[in-house]
Amino acid sequence: MSDLPPMTSVKRWLVTTNHKDVGVLYISTALFYLIFGGVLALAFRAHLWEAGGIDLLADREYNQSVTTHGLLMVFWFLSPLAAGFANYFVPLQIGAKDLAFPRLNALSYWFYLFSGLLLGISFFQGGSFAGGWTMYAPLNVPTYTPAMEAMAGGTATVLALTLFVMSITIGTVNFLVTIHRSRAEGLGLWNLPMFTWSWLLTVWMMLFAFAALLAALLLLSVDRIMLTQYFSTDQGSSLLWAHLFWFFGHPEVYIVFFPALGIMFETFQTFCGRRLVGRKWVIISMVLVAVQSFLVWMHHMFLTTINLEIKTLFMATTIGISLPFDLMVFALIYTMVKGRVRFTTPFLFSLGALVLFILGGITGVFLGAVVLDYEFRGTYWVVAHFHYVMVSGVTALVGGLYYWWPKISGKMYSEKLGKLNFAVYFIGFNLLYFPMFLAWETPRRVFNYPEGAQLYHQIATVGAFILGASFLIMFATFIHSWVRGPDAPDNPWQFSRTAEWAIPSPPPLENWSDRPSYASGRLEFVDDSQAATDGGVVATEKVVPEEEHADHASIWPLGIGFGMFLFFLGLSGLTPYVAEFAAARGAEDIVNMGEPNVMYPIITLLGVATMGVTLFKFGVEEFHAPEMAIAERWPFGGVGNSKFGVWLFLASDVVVFGAAIGAYIFMRIHVGWNTWEPVPPSTMAGLFNTYVLLTSSFTVILALVMAERKNKQGLLATLGATLLLGFTFLGVKSWEWSQEFAHGVYWFTNLQDSIYFVTTGMHALHVILGLLLAMFMIYRVVSVDAYLEDHRPVEFFGLYWHFVDIVWVFLFPLFYLM
């Protein structure tokens, strides 16, 4: 399925892999989740009209509304809206025809859509998660939450977030490969448009930050489904979750804000009629922030038992990370002062975002000081500061919608309606959030507050409805533009500088009729076919090969996404079965998890079957996404797109395993290193498995040699040997676990056993995935003589398998020898 149906067809949007279509899907879906989260916000703001609440929501309903609102806005609205802009415009800005892996781009979207649907379904499974969007331990496990909520609804929320993180990881790898290896000729990294620069740094942060969150969510998921004990004990569980979550959580602030900042840079340049002042220093500042963002997470933990010296160090890093932002703010101000400002709707929203961010940043400095944080932590001061920072990003993103609307839709909007939208938005924003600074003594996530703060809360509630009305005006503006707006020119903005404005509005399917090039120092379009006909040579002195046809349609990303959705939905209700098993084996502290529902195992198996079929079809589908014949690829010119993508995926997986191993080390130190006895019954079994895996790495190397020599029988033999060794490893591991079970040791027995079974189980899951890949490769070799002409997939499989083996080299001494 390579031909793309027309845009008026529903089928088009189910099968498309084109980056512009996926961008539109992301933007529209993010706006839907904005409405979802906004309605929840209006509900609990109305509930706060009086000091004791107005009985609009019950206690648990209020907590679920606040929690889900936070999750939706932080995860399902802010970043995906920016991802929609990036999907649509980053390839255009860098001169590419699509992202490096179009089908993975579509898969990322479907994972995102289905993750949000799973979150919505959680309300109908006995109640959604209600422990706050930060999911602090031990309130994130069934033992410490109401019985119904401890069941499927709360688990579905955790799994929905897990599926969302999987979407982010796939998209992150795709963007990094694209930006680093698919830039137009002559477009160096230093000269990237500012929005693309901001997105490049965003996805680099995403690659590592979301991997830490994925590790935390996997550990939390096995706690909720399999009843392990990572976050249900008094042995450092709360601190462990805080470390894992905030190692992700603080970079997330910049992950959310950087794309908005990029939009501000673009719109300030366009509507001030001059290049961004101090552009190179702004880029350096952004790089510094991206790096420092991983060094400040502990300022969220000033109220814990961490010693004062460490807290002081992190107070210094917190203050230090604000300095690069000062430079960025002054760069925007000087760009405006030295330019000729035109107060269009996009510029007004960007200027408003700058004003709001300054106030949010200043109030955040208070929280960066240990002494003041003791007073403000857990109050509405944090709520107000957080929203002045995060929703200032929303302000710039709305400006981005107006800025790029003519390019996406081909229609101009009404400036009068746009400016009315901004006025209502800005008033509503400040009426909603500024009174929270004055009502700062109100505890966050609590609807009982002192009567003296009631006026502030009532003003905030009025502001919430005004802010909500501003989004209705925004939607009305775009609908009016779509129905009655005049056609947009290719470039409606006089001083725009980026490549997307050099092509028609909306852009054609393939983006460019001729190849964009910056070899001369400015954007030009090179007719390669004419150059080849005339015997000419392009600027790189290489004759351009004939371009391959690119496909744009595949149904299998949708199928995989649906299968994963069913699988996670089924998993969310399996806890009662595990509870019955645990109770039958003497686990008396297992709480009542309710009656098992037979539908959940059926849905789980249906999800597994659907994924099996669709992943197989995805693997055998003929889909062409050719690399650009001529492109700037520094500093990754020596590797292909697929190999670079594998390296990036493995880098993310290193963080996942690092977090799991770090959790083991943290908890063991907290409990007492010398009181921790090895769980496995036999060191020799672990040593034997080490030899087995190391030998399998050797057979994978031989497989690559056989593929390079086009030796089909040798390739089958070496892949078969790898398969046999992998199954041997799993067989020994199964025997080892069965010995534990025979002696009454299970994954739910105690913390030590939980960590052993989960960590080695994560590794075993990687082995199983590797074996499935090996079996698929053997099938392809037998059926179509695959990998004999192009041996690269064997090499990529080898990289993954070697990684799995290296992880075991670390796990063996940690669990068997120490």
Side-chain angles (χ1 to χ4, degrees):
M1 182 187 294
S2 60
D3 295 330
L4 201 56
M7 296 186 72
T8 54
S9 168
V10 173
K11 183 180 179 181
R12 160 74 169 247
W13 303 100
L14 299 179
V15 303
T16 184
T17 65
N18 182 264
H19 74 96
K20 296 182 293 297
D21 292 346
V22 175
V24 171
L25 288 170
Y26 261 108
I27 292 170
S28 56
T29 306
L31 292 175
F32 166 75
Y33 290 133
L34 164 69
I35 296 172
F36 184 4
V39 169
L40 292 173
L42 293 178
F44 67 71
R45 277 309 325 170
H47 187 82
L48 289 167
W49 185 257
E50 294 180 357
I54 62 171
D55 296 328
L56 177 64
L57 300 170
D59 293 4
R60 282 186 54 230
E61 291 171 348
Y62 176 87
N63 291 332
Q64 289 175 54
S65 298
V66 172
T67 298
T68 308
H69 163 76
L71 290 170
L72 282 167
M73 293 305 191
V74 172
F75 294 105
W76 276 273
F77 168 58
L78 276 164
S79 289
L81 182 58
F85 290 140
N87 263 282
Y88 203 105
F89 291 107
V90 164
L92 294 176
Q93 290 193 343
I94 67 174
K97 288 196 171 183
D98 209 321
L99 291 182
F101 310 111
R103 289 191 301 169
L104 290 183
N105 192 30
L107 180 62
S108 174
Y109 168 74
W110 291 116
F111 276 9
Y112 160 58
L113 173 67
F114 284 120
S115 67
L117 295 180
L118 184 58
L119 177 65
I121 289 174
S122 69
F123 281 96
F124 304 96
Q125 295 178 277
S128 187
F129 189 81
W133 78 273
T134 53
M135 296 183 173
Y136 281 142
L139 297 179
N140 55 8
V141 290
T143 305
Y144 294 93
T145 46
M148 285 299 293
E149 182 198 327
M151 290 288 295
T155 304
T157 303
V158 176
L159 293 174
L161 191 52
T162 304
L163 185 56
F164 173 80
V165 175
M166 293 170 65
S167 163
I168 288 289
T169 303
I170 295 171
T172 293
V173 170
N174 209 349
F175 274 109
L176 286 172
V177 173
T178 302
I179 297 174
H180 281 297
R181 288 190 41 83
S182 300
R183 303 189 304 277
E185 176 190 22
L187 183 61
L189 281 175
W190 196 253
N191 295 317
L192 286 175
M194 291 305 298
F195 177 73
T196 299
W197 247 119
S198 70
W199 188 250
L200 175 61
L201 293 173
T202 297
V203 289
W204 270 117
M205 287 188 287
M206 281 180 170
L207 183 70
F208 301 110
F210 274 95
L213 178 61
L214 179 59
L217 291 171
L218 291 175
L219 300 184
L220 177 57
S221 296
V222 293
D223 263 18
R224 295 189 63 92
I225 298 171
M226 302 301 295
L227 303 178
T228 55
Q229 298 187 32
Y230 274 94
F231 305 114
S232 60
T233 73
D234 59 356
Q235 298 172 302
S237 294
S238 298
L239 268 181
L240 173 63
W241 175 263
H243 279 297
L244 291 173
F245 182 86
W246 286 118
F247 187 79
F248 148 80
H250 203 80
E252 168 68 358
V253 174
Y254 308 113
I255 287 169
V256 166
F257 191 74
F258 263 31
L261 197 59
I263 291 172
M264 292 163 66
F265 293 145
E266 297 285 5
T267 52
F268 267 68
Q269 290 183 128
T270 297
F271 299 111
C272 293
R274 66 160 294 135
R275 186 179 172 91
L276 181 69
V277 172
R279 185 182 189 274
K280 70 174 182 179
W281 294 109
V282 168
I283 293 173
I284 292 172
S285 297
M286 294 172 70
V287 173
L288 288 174
V289 169
V291 174
Q292 286 181 265
S293 67
F294 292 93
L295 304 176
V296 297
W297 82 92
M298 216 178 291
H299 71 226
H300 294 275
M301 303 164 64
F302 282 166
L303 267 64
T304 65
T305 56
I306 296 170
N307 66 61
L308 184 59
E309 290 78 8
I310 297 295
K311 293 178 182 179
T312 304
L313 173 63
F314 276 83
M315 180 175 69
T317 61
T318 302
I319 295 172
I321 203 171
S322 68
L323 300 179
F325 275 109
D326 296 340
L327 189 149
M328 296 182 224
V329 168
F330 281 115
L332 288 169
I333 293 173
Y334 277 111
T335 301
M336 185 169 56
V337 168
K338 294 188 176 184
R340 299 179 62 183
V341 179
R342 288 166 297 148
F343 290 96
T344 61
T345 301
F347 181 78
L348 285 173
F349 274 98
S350 293
L351 178 61
L354 177 62
V355 172
L356 298 173
F357 176 72
I358 291 173
L359 183 55
I362 291 173
T363 55
V365 173
F366 287 74
L367 296 170
V370 175
V371 176
L372 292 176
D373 189 72
Y374 272 72
E375 189 70 19
F376 288 130
R377 180 64 58 185
T379 70
Y380 262 55
W381 183 278
V382 176
V383 177
H385 153 71
F386 183 76
H387 284 84
Y388 262 90
V389 172
M390 302 292 271
V391 189
S392 68
V394 176
T395 310
L397 292 174
V398 173
L401 270 175
Y402 278 102
Y403 181 61
W404 280 311
W405 173 258
K407 181 57 60 178
I408 296 173
S409 67
K411 298 284 188 177
M412 292 301 297
Y413 61 87
S414 166
E415 275 291 344
K416 289 184 179 179
L417 286 176
K419 289 176 179 176
L420 173 64
N421 181 196
F422 170 74
V424 176
Y425 178 97
F426 199 74
I427 292 170
F429 181 106
N430 287 285
L431 280 178
L432 170 57
Y433 297 120
F434 192 81
M436 295 182 185
F437 286 121
L438 305 178
W440 69 271
E441 291 182 295
T442 304
R444 65 189 307 189
R445 304 192 188 109
V446 175
F447 57 81
N448 294 301
Y449 56 85
E451 290 189 6
Q454 181 166 296
L455 176 62
Y456 301 132
H457 281 280
Q458 290 178 342
I459 294 173
T461 298
V462 171
F465 281 87
I466 294 174
L467 184 62
S470 75
F471 284 102
L472 295 180
I473 297 173
M474 182 190 77
F475 289 123
T477 302
F478 291 139
I479 292 172
H480 176 270
S481 169
W482 184 262
V483 175
R484 302 184 60 181
D487 291 339
D490 294 349
N491 183 8
W493 317 124
Q494 182 178 0
F495 297 108
S496 58
R497 300 168 179 268
T498 46
E500 72 267 27
W501 302 110
I503 55 177
S505 300
L509 179 65
E510 299 285 353
N511 295 347
W512 326 98
S513 55
D514 297 322
R515 177 175 59 84
S517 172
Y518 292 87
S520 65
R522 61 187 180 88
L523 177 61
E524 294 179 336
F525 293 95
V526 179
D527 187 349
D528 289 327
S529 61
Q530 186 64 38
T533 301
D534 296 342
V537 180
V538 296
T540 57
E541 299 184 354
K542 294 181 181 178
V543 178
V544 180
E546 183 178 349
E547 184 176 350
E548 298 180 65
H549 171 68
D551 293 332
H552 296 286
S554 174
I555 191 64
W556 305 119
L558 169 60
I560 297 169
F562 182 64
M564 188 66 76
F565 165 75
L566 291 177
F567 177 62
F568 277 7
L569 178 61
L571 283 182
S572 68
L574 294 185
T575 309
Y577 292 91
V578 180
E580 285 192 345
F581 175 86
R585 281 151 181 81
E588 299 176 355
D589 58 334
I590 299 297
V591 299
N592 177 27
M593 296 295 170
E595 293 297 323
N597 184 337
V598 71
M599 287 303 299
Y600 285 110
I602 294 174
I603 294 173
T604 304
L605 294 175
L606 184 61
V608 171
T610 303
M611 281 193 294
V613 172
T614 53
L615 281 168
F616 177 79
K617 292 292 187 180
F618 185 93
V620 300
E621 181 181 40
E622 293 293 335
F623 189 91
H624 299 286
E627 293 187 22
M628 291 173 62
I630 297 175
E632 294 294 331
R633 296 190 169 104
W634 185 89
F636 301 105
V639 293
N641 285 355
S642 297
K643 187 174 183 179
F644 186 37
V646 171
W647 278 116
L648 290 170
F649 165 74
L650 294 180
S652 176
D653 215 10
V654 166
V655 177
V656 174
F657 269 109
I661 294 173
Y664 158 80
I665 295 173
F666 176 86
M667 297 299 277
R668 182 164 179 177
I669 291 174
H670 194 90
V671 172
W673 188 272
N674 294 326
T675 63
W676 198 288
E677 296 294 332
V679 177
S682 172
T683 301
M684 292 305 298
L687 182 61
F688 176 76
N689 261 348
T690 303
Y691 285 126
V692 167
L693 280 188
L694 292 177
T695 304
S696 71
S697 274
F698 178 67
T699 59
V700 168
I701 295 173
L702 289 179
L704 178 58
V705 172
M706 293 301 168
E708 290 173 341
R709 295 179 178 178
K710 300 182 181 180
N711 185 335
K712 179 178 178 179
Q713 297 304 319
L715 178 58
L716 286 173
T718 49
L719 286 176
T722 304
L723 200 64
L724 180 62
L725 290 167
F727 278 117
T728 301
F729 174 89
L730 292 178
V732 173
K733 179 59 64 179
S734 298
W735 172 83
E736 194 176 274
W737 283 18
S738 67
Q739 293 300 302
E740 295 291 345
F741 300 158
H743 292 85
V745 176
Y746 297 92
W747 57 87
F748 50 78
T749 306
N750 56 46
L751 174 63
Q752 179 177 339
D753 298 328
S754 293
I755 292 177
Y756 161 71
F757 280 109
V758 171
T759 310
T760 57
M762 283 177 58
H763 178 266
L765 179 61
H766 278 70
V767 173
I768 292 171
L769 293 176
L771 294 179
L772 291 174
L773 286 172
M775 287 189 285
F776 176 77
M777 294 176 73
I778 290 174
Y779 164 80
R780 294 286 285 169
V781 174
V782 172
S783 60
V784 295
D785 291 340
Y787 318 126
L788 300 180
E789 297 299 327
D790 181 4
H791 63 266
R792 290 177 300 174
V794 180
E795 179 186 4
F796 305 152
F797 169 72
L799 292 175
Y800 172 81
W801 194 259
H802 297 325
F803 167 77
V804 173
D805 294 350
I806 291 171
V807 170
W808 180 255
V809 170
F810 283 93
L811 296 185
F812 170 64
L814 286 173
F815 287 101
Y816 291 82
L817 302 179
M818 295 186 181

